[in-house]
Amino acid sequence: MKKIVLLGCNDKTRAIVPILCKDASITSEICIASRDKSKCDEIRLKYQGSPVRISTARVDLSNEQGTRMMLSIAQPDMLVNLTEASFSPIIMKLCLEIGVPYVDGTLFDIGSGDLLSKQFEFFGDFRKKNLTAVVGCDFNPAGITTLVREALEDEFDSIDEVNIIESGAKVLAKKMTIKELAKYDSSVDGGDMAICIENGQKVGADPLTVKVVYKLPGVLEQDYYAMNNIIVEDFLKELPDVPTVRYFTTHSKPDTSILKELDKFGLLSEEPIEVNGMKIAPIDFISKVLEDYEPATSSDEANVSIFDGGMGIILTGQKRGETKTSMIHIKDVAKCNSLSVIAGIRAVATKKWNRAGVFTPCAFNPSIMLESMRRDGFSYDMISAEPVELVREDK
């Protein structure tokens, strides 16, 4: 692979670039493109002595014509989307136009209840062009389902139940855009049902009404609440033989009172308005203005790392006719997100993942992703565990 264009300059980009720079077998050149080119230049200067050449470019993905012009100059051999999921269809269309493969970390339409989202509508187009598109390469869902598939091959004859417990996932990060805060508020307070798979069927419950009390290694016993999460939908599509799947996390509520004030003036609207010949949604504008907003929290958990305590994937199933419960324990989930995306980039660039169409990593041999992640420092523990017992509360 000659040249990979990374679209977006953020924490994930900063984690991915140094790993790419060490491995010339993946690519000989990286171009980091973002609306704020100065941030891209900071990364370029930091790693300018590496074997992999780094260039930068300015791009506004909401301007398709301008993005086409940037790509005509950059001439990439692969596009990697590290921006928000909503840009995925735009970038995938551009991949088809210039004839290059595509990788991203997020599944579009998260929380919609339909994993066959806008990304998968491009399946036939990528197949006709004989191009590979791999979507959803973040650790959640790709790494989680890959680990369960490996456990099913090595540790279990069958798996009856998967309970994913993430400590600290809903503890407030220090900075959020207004758009992220609004999405958080609607998903927790606005009634997004806690979706679980029970005996092969989707079952909904009111938010914060189903919990488990559990102790992950190195963490005090805590309450973890069932939440709606894309991983549940991914199991339903990719691992239908696992009949029961639930996702639990801790919960700390940020102060969302600012949203009420902004809503009074229509600043949370997603309907674009025209200003001096340009169209922009008010919520996108205010999110850019308040890009590093730091809301208060109702809990003193705000000082806890967003992934403090890690994740436990508790598996209950059968091995040689006996019931068995084990936990896959991951300490550093934040690091895993970049490693799983790197694994996807490496697999597509080296043609180990080489199928025409649009796929999630579950469509490929799980050992390819895990071997790549281990190569870059990924590790986990497989330990005996107690089964999960549900507690139901009235809201």
Side-chain angles (χ1 to χ4, degrees):
M1 185 66 64
K2 293 180 181 178
K3 188 172 187 178
I4 295 175
V5 169
L6 305 177
L7 295 167
C9 187
N10 46 43
D11 288 343
K12 190 177 289 184
T13 314
R14 283 183 277 275
I16 284 172
V17 167
I19 300 175
L20 286 176
C21 284
K22 293 176 183 177
D23 192 349
S25 68
I26 301 177
T27 183
S28 58
E29 184 176 353
I30 303 164
C31 176
I32 310 168
S34 174
R35 184 176 294 181
D36 188 345
K37 186 175 178 294
S38 64
K39 291 182 178 179
C40 305
D41 288 333
E42 288 176 10
I43 299 176
R44 177 180 60 81
L45 291 171
K46 187 174 182 179
Y47 300 104
Q48 62 183 354
S50 71
V52 175
R53 182 173 178 267
I54 303 176
S55 59
T56 62
R58 185 188 181 281
V59 66
D60 180 356
L61 292 171
S62 62
N63 181 347
E64 287 192 44
Q65 190 57 39
T67 304
R68 284 189 184 91
M69 185 177 297
M70 184 277 292
L71 293 175
S72 70
I73 297 170
Q75 296 187 328
D77 297 292
M78 177 194 293
L79 292 184
V80 178
N81 179 17
L82 302 177
T83 64
E84 356 178 322
S86 58
F87 286 120
S88 179
I90 296 171
I91 301 168
M92 293 178 80
K93 186 168 69 172
L94 292 169
C95 283
L96 292 166
E97 289 180 12
I98 62 178
V100 299
Y102 170 86
V103 173
D104 74 23
T106 0
L107 289 164
F108 194 62
D109 289 353
I110 288 177
S112 70
D114 181 11
L115 196 58
L116 298 175
S117 61
K118 293 185 180 180
Q119 290 156 314
F120 292 92
E121 292 175 9
F122 288 97
F123 183 92
D125 298 316
F126 273 84
R127 191 164 188 172
K128 286 178 186 175
K129 293 270 189 173
N130 197 31
L131 294 171
T132 302
V134 182
V135 299
C137 270
D138 270 348
F139 187 72
N140 180 0
I144 296 173
T145 50
T146 298
L147 283 168
V148 173
R149 288 174 68 203
E150 184 183 62
L152 191 52
E153 291 181 3
D154 299 340
E155 302 288 336
F156 290 84
D157 297 324
S158 64
I159 294 177
D160 306 313
E161 187 172 305
V162 175
N163 289 287
I164 300 141
I165 297 179
E166 192 166 0
S167 177
K170 287 293 179 182
V171 174
L172 183 63
K174 288 185 177 180
K175 295 180 180 179
M176 301 174 79
T177 67
I178 292 297
K179 195 170 186 177
E180 290 169 338
L181 186 63
K183 184 176 180 181
Y184 181 99
D185 189 48
S186 64
S187 67
V188 176
D189 295 330
D192 257 16
M193 301 287 284
I195 303 298
C196 302
I197 308 299
E198 304 280 355
N199 298 317
Q201 301 295 318
K202 287 170 65 172
V203 177
D206 288 335
L208 309 180
T209 59
V210 179
K211 73 174 184 180
V212 296
V213 182
Y214 210 83
K215 186 181 186 311
L216 293 178
V219 182
L220 293 175
E221 187 174 83
Q222 298 184 70
D223 291 349
Y224 297 92
Y225 291 90
M227 295 279 188
N228 191 19
N229 189 279
I230 192 65
I231 187 63
V232 175
E233 300 285 346
D234 201 43
F235 266 91
L236 189 62
K237 178 178 182 293
E238 305 288 6
L239 292 169
D241 291 338
V242 179
T244 298
V245 183
R246 311 180 188 99
Y247 172 84
F248 299 89
T249 184
T250 49
H251 174 251
S252 175
K253 178 175 169 48
D255 182 358
T256 59
S257 59
I258 189 175
L259 299 179
K260 296 178 183 178
E261 296 302 315
L262 293 172
D263 195 38
K264 287 179 184 178
F265 299 99
L267 292 174
L268 298 184
S269 172
E270 296 188 1
E271 189 69 29
I273 60 173
E274 188 169 327
V275 180
N276 296 329
M278 297 183 65
K279 289 187 176 181
I280 186 169
I283 193 169
D284 290 331
F285 171 77
I286 201 69
S287 290
K288 185 62 181 176
V289 172
L290 300 177
E291 192 169 19
D292 294 329
Y293 180 68
E294 297 188 25
T297 178
S298 63
S299 167
D300 59 8
E301 287 180 299
N303 293 321
V304 180
S305 164
I306 195 166
F307 288 110
D308 188 52
M311 175 186 290
I313 306 168
I314 296 113
L315 314 172
T316 298
Q318 304 297 312
K319 182 68 174 181
R320 299 190 185 94
E322 296 186 1
T323 300
K324 173 182 176 180
T325 299
S326 298
M327 178 194 297
I328 302 170
H329 181 237
I330 303 106
K331 295 178 182 177
D332 192 349
V333 183
K335 181 181 178 182
C336 292
N337 274 330
S338 58
L339 296 186
S340 59
V341 174
I342 282 282
I345 295 171
R346 179 181 281 130
V348 174
T350 58
K351 296 191 179 300
K352 290 184 178 179
W353 289 355
N354 187 26
R355 294 174 63 183
V358 181
F359 305 95
T360 66
C362 250
F364 304 95
N365 186 329
S367 65
I368 294 174
M369 171 169 263
L370 291 178
E371 283 172 8
S372 176
M373 292 178 67
R374 289 179 182 121
R375 174 178 173 176
D376 295 322
F378 172 64
S379 64
Y380 65 89
D381 298 316
M382 176 73 80
I383 57 179
S384 296
E386 293 296 320
V388 165
E389 294 186 13
L390 299 183
V391 178
R392 300 188 183 273
E393 299 180 338
D394 293 329
K395 191 172 181 181

